[in-house]
Amino acid sequence: MTDTQALSAPIANVARPARRSQWRTAYFGTPGNALVTLVCGGVILLLAKFALGWLFLNAVFDGGAEACKQSSGACWPFLADKLRYMLFGFYPFEEQWRPLVALSLFLGSCGLSMIPRVWGRGLLLAWVIGILPLLYVLMAGGVFGLTAVPTSKWGGLPLSFMLSFVGLAFALPLGIGLALARASHLPAIRVLGVGFIELVRGVPLISILFMAAVMLPLFMPDGVTIDKLLRAQVAIILFAAAYIAEIVRGGLQDVPSGQFEAGRALGLHYWQVMFKIVLPQALKKVIPALVGLFIAFFQDTTLVTIIGLLDFLDTVRTALRDPDWQGIAVLEGYVFAAAIYFLFSALMGVYSRFLERHFNTSYR
């Protein structure tokens, strides 16, 4: 045994009892803490017992709607029968391999893009020149022998990801520009920034979607139409940009003014100071708020149903209206939708904490 190991062994032996003592103090240190711990433990056990019985012990794994009517557990045949529709909506059945490949490519590319080693201009170019056009070609078709599929047939999980990811990807730089405009010393620029932000934040998203889908075509020249999906995408971009602008503005205000003055003293002009000194610090400070906003907008894409687009949650609702399954598997459908939303929202939360550790944003 080396000297280091000999010294670390007693420390580890002392740390274990200390941790056990802290655990006992935290959960059973006082009668009140002990009561709360026992009550919460009992509730968790009851919920686990119910979940185990509903998910597995009393569940129906084979058969149809009639078999599910006789059971008090989950009706898994419903998910097996409606899974493809819930994931892809009205996309042509024989072509559903295309949104599956597009979704897999998108998720794989997102996972790769989360690795700090690959960050850079090359990654941005890969998304702009390669990944996004390829995803569109897979979904829309019309080239390379792929059957053309109109956007009115797009739906389900790919549509939810497209609206949220593309919307936020374009909204982030626009929101940063609006934040800089609002903090500008030029009156005209500041008034335009403030006016746009307050106007957009003053109305709900559903109103902007409704105006983009219904009101905008009334002002277009005869014979000129804009795709409904594109209108919804632009509405989400503008709405998200206004909220991102306020979050970024808060980060800018938290950066000491001496940082800007030091940059100017070094001979840097305004944009160099902003992009090399101020903005990197501001964005690091608002990572939790930005990720929280991204999670909210990922879930708020369900509002596009008001303009006739079928996102993931609406395809689940439509599947539940099937006469063969109506009133039988309601809980199963919503539990499945909640699990999908929770999974991706939790992953974004985990990545947010990773970014905070990576950029060392713990200012103590």
Side-chain angles (χ1 to χ4, degrees), residues 69-357:
K69 291 179 181 179
Q70 308 301 322
S71 173
S72 60
C75 181
W76 298 122
F78 166 75
L79 291 181
D81 184 48
K82 294 295 182 181
L83 181 61
R84 292 181 66 166
Y85 175 77
M86 288 189 290
L87 291 179
F88 307 122
F90 289 111
Y91 206 90
F93 188 84
E94 65 279 0
E95 300 289 335
Q96 286 182 358
W97 64 270
R98 287 160 50 184
L100 177 61
V101 172
L103 186 61
S104 302
L105 176 62
F106 169 76
L107 294 177
S109 301
C110 286
L112 183 63
S113 302
M114 291 178 178
I115 303 174
R117 291 196 304 271
V118 302
W119 292 348
R121 295 181 180 178
L123 179 63
L124 179 62
L125 290 175
W127 273 98
V128 174
I129 299 176
I131 299 173
L132 289 179
L134 180 58
L135 294 176
Y136 178 80
V137 168
L138 282 171
M139 293 295 295
V143 294
F144 304 121
L146 298 175
T147 304
V149 178
T151 56
S152 58
K153 296 291 185 180
W154 298 11
L157 202 56
L159 180 64
S160 295
F161 276 119
M162 186 192 71
L163 288 173
S164 58
F165 174 79
V166 175
L168 293 170
F170 283 92
L172 182 60
L174 179 58
I176 293 174
L178 288 171
L180 295 177
R182 182 157 189 166
S184 174
H185 296 293
L186 300 176
I189 300 297
R190 185 171 63 252
V191 168
L192 289 175
V194 172
F196 177 86
I197 292 171
E198 297 303 330
L199 177 64
V200 174
R201 292 175 68 228
V203 293
L205 176 58
I206 194 171
S207 299
I208 296 180
L209 289 172
F210 182 79
M211 287 188 291
V214 179
M215 301 298 294
L216 181 61
L218 299 179
F219 297 93
M220 301 299 295
D222 292 338
V224 177
T225 59
I226 302 177
D227 186 82
K228 183 188 295 185
L229 179 59
L230 179 59
R231 282 178 273 158
Q233 187 71 84
V234 172
I236 290 174
I237 291 173
L238 296 178
F239 190 80
Y243 282 85
I244 291 174
E246 286 299 282
I247 292 175
V248 174
R249 184 173 70 92
L252 291 173
Q253 290 179 335
D254 195 50
V255 177
S257 59
Q259 299 287 310
F260 184 85
E261 295 168 359
R264 295 306 298 267
L266 292 174
L268 302 178
H269 59 70
Y270 175 84
W271 294 111
Q272 288 178 321
V273 173
M274 276 295 170
F275 285 103
K276 294 181 180 296
I277 299 176
V278 178
L279 265 179
Q281 298 182 63
L283 292 178
K284 286 194 295 184
K285 293 173 182 290
V286 298
I287 286 174
L290 284 176
V291 174
L293 182 68
F294 291 173
I295 292 174
F297 270 92
F298 171 61
Q299 298 169 356
D300 285 345
T301 55
T302 57
L303 294 174
V304 297
T305 184
I306 194 67
I307 59 174
L309 297 175
L310 291 179
D311 76 307
F312 174 61
L313 183 59
D314 204 54
T315 55
V316 173
R317 290 174 181 158
T318 307
L320 294 173
R321 300 190 193 107
D322 188 329
D324 294 335
W325 297 98
Q326 195 167 14
I328 298 175
V330 176
L331 186 59
E332 289 82 346
Y334 284 112
V335 166
F336 175 68
I340 294 296
Y341 281 110
F342 173 78
L343 173 63
F344 289 104
S345 298
L347 289 175
M348 283 188 274
V350 170
Y351 188 63
S352 170
R353 293 188 289 274
F354 165 76
L355 288 178
E356 292 179 57
R357 292 191 301 270

Side-chain angles (χ1 to χ4, degrees), residues 48-61 71 73-76:
K49 179 182 177 182
F50 169 78
L52 182 63
W54 186 78
L55 290 171
F56 303 106
L57 300 180
N58 301 322
V60 175
F61 293 93
S71 173
C75 181
W76 298 122

Side-chain angles (χ1 to χ4, degrees), residues 19-35:
R19 285 195 294 267
R20 287 196 292 267
S21 177
Q22 291 175 356
W23 186 86
R24 286 195 300 267
T25 302
Y27 293 100
F28 299 97
T30 64
N33 285 358
L35 178 61

